[in-house]
Amino acid sequence: MSVLSGLKPERVFYYFEEICKIPRGSFHTEKISSYLVEFAKVHGLEYRQDESGNVVIKKTASKGYEDAPAVILQGHCDMVCEKKPGYAHDFEKDGLELAVEGDLLSARGTTLGGDDGIAVAYALAVLEDDSLKHPSLEVVITTDEEVGMLGAMALDTSDLKGTYMLNIDSEEEGKLWISCAGGLSAVCEIPVEYRETQGVRYEVMIEGLAGGHSGAEIDKIRANAIKLLGRFLFELSGQVEFFLTELAGGQKDNAIPRSARAVFLADACAEKEIAEAAAEFGKNLRAEYSGTDDGISVNVRTEGETEGSALTMSAQQKVLFFLMQFPYGVQKMSGEIAGLVETSVNPGILCMDGNACRMTASLRSSVGSAKKALSMQIQYLTEFLGGSYTPEGAYPAWEYRKDSALREIMADTYEDMFGERPEIKAIHAGLECGIFYEKIPNLDCVSFGPSMSGIHTTEETLSISSTERMWKYLLKVLENIR
């Protein structure tokens, strides 16, 4: 039985529910890409699908709009896959379990994927409705946006005729985004060596953090579990001798890590001191992050005497130095746009596997030279410790366009419909607009969308009423492009 039956707009929520049945995590978008192709075939629409799974679907202009500028409707079909600890869900096989509570739509135990499933649902609802007034449309749905915008980077845009682009990948109703940061993923590997040792096995878990989007929510100064784990281990090393065997934290470099764990061996007589250190550390963190991460917990579990491989002392010191010195958070605010983060970094994935300690971080900046400098800083730190550094998935910033006819149409339409001017903003998060702006000469683009919260976390919600308002707004904008 449909969970979203009766919600308005009906066809938007119909398609949203349909795509939520399809596993579509980043790097696993084959099924949703095929679904889009089948949709185009059923509706007799021109389409193409490339090797990356990107899908372009075209629809001719409605009567009276033949001479209007072509419009690109753009979003991405992949989602960030996060689930609550212990929740039984396989993102490669299972659909989402949707839930409605008042005005909010969510998924039980997992991320919802409103970012950016709502763009796909809007686009399909527009494409199927022949009663709408609109210019010729080019719906561009990309893959693997959440892991470096790989689909958009690979897309051939030479056949696109659109001069206006509506990117439906923003999360705040009433705001039009007109610029975004560029970025890259920094992949660091620190070589480590092991030795055989023995002792009581201790597992430290830091969890209960708020997390969030590493771009849009980096200015909220939330705690990063990986950084806190490094800090705890460094402080503990001054009190107790221990030998690290495991490190892990985070799942996505573009999500602020909500939990991290370490396993080490130490003497049995140190159990009380380690437990007291964890309790004191947790107490201090809750005070430091009061109002942003009130639920932080630091717990220690022991599993008895054992023996096995642990880091050598020199390797352990290198790893702790690396974790302590690795930058996190806002590095610089914009000097031109009030309240805009210019440059930031988020260490998002930590693991110790084989002969290396690996960290993947998301770097963002709206200034190219600042992004380069931060990348070089992390490279220097990594290579100073004998490690290797690889920047991956670099994408360009979307530069502010002083004269934008589309922005004026969208602002005027919003004011006519809702009685106030929308807020025109730049965003620190990366958007695919930068890639399309670089590929398509003179492209005029604006990003908008319905209100969402907690994206990239298991607390993600989509406002139902906002979805309806922004649907009506989208249709009116298309009608007003003449």
Side-chain angles (χ1 to χ4, degrees):
M1 181 178 178
S2 171
V3 176
L4 307 187
S5 178
L7 296 185
K8 295 184 181 302
E10 291 184 5
R11 296 305 289 174
V12 171
F13 281 113
Y14 166 79
Y15 282 115
F16 188 80
E17 187 163 12
E18 287 297 297
I19 64 175
C20 285
K21 297 175 184 177
I22 304 171
R24 53 187 183 90
S26 301
F27 298 127
H28 299 281
T29 55
E30 299 85 1
K31 292 181 180 179
I32 185 65
S33 180
S34 297
Y35 175 84
L36 296 173
V37 168
E38 186 61 27
F39 171 91
K41 291 178 179 178
V42 168
H43 290 83
L45 297 169
E46 179 185 350
Y47 74 92
R48 68 176 171 91
Q49 179 188 41
D50 65 18
E51 293 183 354
S52 296
N54 300 307
V55 176
V56 177
I57 305 174
K58 299 183 179 183
K59 186 176 184 180
T60 58
S62 59
K63 185 176 181 181
Y65 285 78
E66 294 85 355
D67 296 328
V71 174
I72 299 170
L73 296 182
Q74 195 270 321
H76 62 89
C77 62
D78 64 314
M79 63 176 282
V80 170
C81 296
E82 292 273 0
K83 62 181 179 180
K84 293 181 178 179
Y87 188 75
H89 185 90
D90 187 340
F91 279 107
E92 294 185 29
K93 298 178 181 178
D94 302 334
L96 304 179
E97 188 177 352
L98 300 179
V100 176
E101 186 174 346
D103 184 51
L104 298 180
L105 172 60
S106 63
R108 290 189 174 92
T110 69
T111 39
L112 173 66
D115 172 28
D116 193 26
I118 196 61
V120 180
Y122 275 158
L124 298 185
V126 168
L127 288 171
E128 77 163 6
D129 192 341
D130 292 332
S131 70
L132 301 178
K133 299 177 181 179
H134 58 76
S136 61
L137 299 176
E138 297 170 322
V139 169
V140 180
I141 305 298
T142 55
T143 58
D144 299 334
E145 188 269 354
E146 301 289 6
V147 286
M149 307 187 190
L150 303 181
M153 295 286 283
L155 181 69
D156 179 3
T157 62
S158 60
D159 67 330
L160 298 181
K161 306 300 182 184
T163 55
Y164 289 164
M165 187 174 89
L166 303 180
N167 168 268
I168 312 173
D169 193 16
S170 297
E171 298 87 32
E172 294 182 81
E173 178 183 338
K175 296 181 180 179
L176 303 181
W177 303 103
I178 43 75
S179 176
C180 76
L184 58 84
S185 292
V187 182
C188 310
E189 292 194 359
I190 305 297
V192 295
E193 296 178 342
Y194 294 86
R195 67 173 180 177
E196 294 300 308
T197 190
Q198 61 183 22
V200 172
R201 184 182 189 274
Y202 295 86
E203 181 183 55
V204 178
M205 281 291 301
I206 297 181
E207 53 193 344
L209 283 69
H213 190 288
S214 68
E217 295 176 299
I218 200 73
D219 62 333
K220 293 179 171 55
I221 319 299
R222 293 172 179 168
N224 179 303
I226 290 174
K227 288 293 294 180
L228 296 186
L229 181 65
R231 176 179 155 187
F232 173 73
L233 294 173
F234 176 75
E235 292 185 11
L236 185 65
S237 68
Q239 305 171 46
V240 174
E241 185 178 57
F242 64 86
F243 305 96
L244 277 171
T245 63
E246 297 178 36
L247 282 174
Q251 297 182 18
K252 308 289 182 181
D253 67 345
N254 59 2
I256 302 170
R258 305 177 71 184
S259 64
R261 64 185 286 271
V263 176
F264 55 80
L265 304 182
D267 288 341
C269 61
E271 182 174 353
K272 181 179 178 182
E273 192 170 358
I274 292 171
E276 290 176 348
E280 181 68 15
F281 190 68
K283 177 183 175 182
N284 291 338
L285 292 182
R286 287 187 292 275
E288 290 178 29
Y289 291 95
S290 175
T292 62
D293 296 86
D294 298 297
I296 292 178
S297 66
V298 183
N299 299 303
V300 179
R301 184 164 61 99
T302 60
E303 294 187 3
E305 193 82 17
T306 187
E307 59 181 35
S309 297
L311 296 185
T312 63
M313 189 53 66
S314 61
Q316 182 165 305
Q317 288 175 343
K318 284 198 303 183
V319 168
L320 295 186
F321 182 88
F322 179 71
L323 294 178
M324 284 293 291
Q325 296 301 318
F326 201 99
Y328 164 62
V330 176
Q331 304 296 295
K332 185 178 182 297
M333 299 296 291
S334 172
E336 294 184 345
I337 303 176
L340 175 67
V341 177
E342 178 191 283
T343 306
S344 76
V345 58
N346 175 65
I349 308 172
L350 171 68
C351 68
M352 199 158 68
D353 181 22
N355 296 317
C357 175
R358 296 182 176 85
M359 178 87 85
T360 304
S362 176
L363 278 66
R364 304 175 192 268
S365 184
S366 52
V367 177
S369 59
K371 182 178 74 172
K372 180 180 178 181
L374 181 56
S375 178
M376 291 174 63
Q377 176 187 342
I378 295 173
Q379 179 179 5
Y380 187 26
L381 169 64
T382 305
E383 294 179 351
F384 180 79
L385 296 172
S388 62
Y389 174 81
T390 306
E392 295 182 350
Y395 56 91
W398 170 26
E399 297 181 5
Y400 172 72
R401 178 173 174 147
K402 185 177 180 181
D403 299 314
S404 168
L406 177 59
R407 183 172 68 236
E408 291 306 309
I409 291 171
M410 294 185 70
D412 289 345
T413 301
Y414 191 92
E415 185 174 21
D416 289 343
M417 292 183 67
F418 304 112
E420 59 182 4
R421 298 290 284 183
E423 189 175 353
I424 308 298
K425 294 198 68 174
I427 188 172
H428 186 58
L431 290 172
E432 291 167 301
C433 299
I435 296 172
F436 285 94
Y437 187 78
E438 189 175 72
K439 288 187 173 188
I440 303 174
N442 301 313
L443 182 67
D444 193 352
C445 46
V446 173
S447 181
F448 78 104
S451 294
M452 287 179 258
S453 66
I455 60 171
H456 297 183
T457 78
T458 55
E459 311 306 314
E460 181 183 0
T461 62
L462 169 66
S463 168
I464 296 167
S465 60
S466 181
T467 299
E468 182 177 18
R469 287 190 295 272
M470 289 300 95
W471 166 248
K472 293 177 180 178
Y473 174 61
L474 168 62
L475 299 187
K476 197 64 177 177
V477 167
L478 293 175
E479 184 178 333
N480 286 345
I481 296 176
R482 301 297 297 264

